[in-house]
Amino acid sequence: MYEASGLEAFNIAVFEFLRGSPGDAKILIGVARQLAEVPAIIAGAVLLWYLVSRRDYAMALGTAIAIGASKLIEAYVNAHAFHARPFAAGFGPALVYHAANNSMPSSHATFAWTLAVIFLWKREWRYAGIVALLGLVVAWARIFVGIHWPLDMVGSALSAAACGSLGYGVQRAVRPARQTSHRVGQPPK
């Protein structure tokens, strides 16, 4: 039996409420399987479209650094705070195949929410809302299919807030140098 108290008991209770089971409608399971992956891909496509259409090189650099930082946080957590995935801890079968590695944080949700934070800092409300919603969908689906805990998503949100803010800070640091050296209609100083 899996021993839990306090926060872990809450984590399990929320997981039990949100998770699916093999007996659920096949269409629901099929949709959840797709939603466990596809929204993160769409978030990446939204970012790519934005970067290409705006030619925002500073944002591209900041986003790359933010995603790299989120991967470093994930690696650190993996090395120092192992937490079994729900199916590996005995909480039912996963409805998709996944390795029984560390569950915290969700790479998919962290990716989408990091982009949302960057868009928020840029005051691109529509993009931030779309990408944040995609992150919520992928978070729900990954819990539903039994490969993440609800608190994994809290960790993802915290990592995304920090890394997205870092990425936006990088954009702000590199953008003024570019803008002051190329003012339209003025010779370079």
Side-chain angles (χ1 to χ4, degrees):
M1 181 74 183
Y2 192 84
E3 301 233 359
S5 62
L7 194 55
E8 188 66 8
F10 173 77
N11 195 29
I12 293 167
V14 174
F15 173 77
E16 291 290 349
F17 178 75
L18 294 175
R19 79 176 175 108
S21 71
D24 287 338
K26 297 296 179 210
I27 191 160
L28 178 60
I29 294 170
V31 167
R33 285 177 175 163
Q34 293 303 308
L35 293 178
E37 299 284 337
V38 173
I41 296 167
I42 294 171
V46 168
L47 171 70
L48 187 60
W49 183 86
Y50 182 90
L51 293 175
V52 169
S53 68
R54 307 277 167 103
R55 295 186 180 159
D56 194 338
Y57 304 110
M59 184 176 175
L61 176 64
T63 302
I65 289 171
I67 297 304
S70 74
K71 292 300 181 186
L72 289 174
I73 289 171
E74 184 178 336
Y76 181 82
V77 172
N78 284 336
H80 299 288
F82 182 81
H83 193 257
R85 291 185 182 271
F87 65 90
F91 288 89
L95 302 178
V96 296
Y97 173 76
H98 202 288
N101 55 4
N102 196 25
S103 69
M104 170 81 85
S106 165
S107 298
H108 293 76
T110 301
F111 174 74
W113 288 333
T114 298
L115 303 183
V117 169
I118 292 170
F119 280 126
L120 270 174
W121 277 111
K122 287 181 67 71
R123 294 185 173 91
E124 292 284 359
W125 311 118
R126 184 178 320 143
Y127 290 102
I130 289 167
V131 176
L133 182 61
L134 290 167
L136 283 172
V137 169
V138 81
W140 166 80
R142 293 182 80 75
I143 295 167
F144 183 86
V145 299
I147 58 175
H148 277 289
W149 298 99
L151 287 179
D152 296 346
M153 301 310 167
V154 173
S156 293
L158 293 172
S159 177
C163 296
S165 296
L166 169 68
Y168 181 72
V170 168
Q171 291 176 58
R172 298 274 306 181
V174 300
R175 183 164 278 128
R178 273 189 90 233
Q179 288 177 343
T180 57
S181 65
H182 283 66
R183 293 214 175 161
V184 176
Q186 294 179 357
K189 294 183 181 182

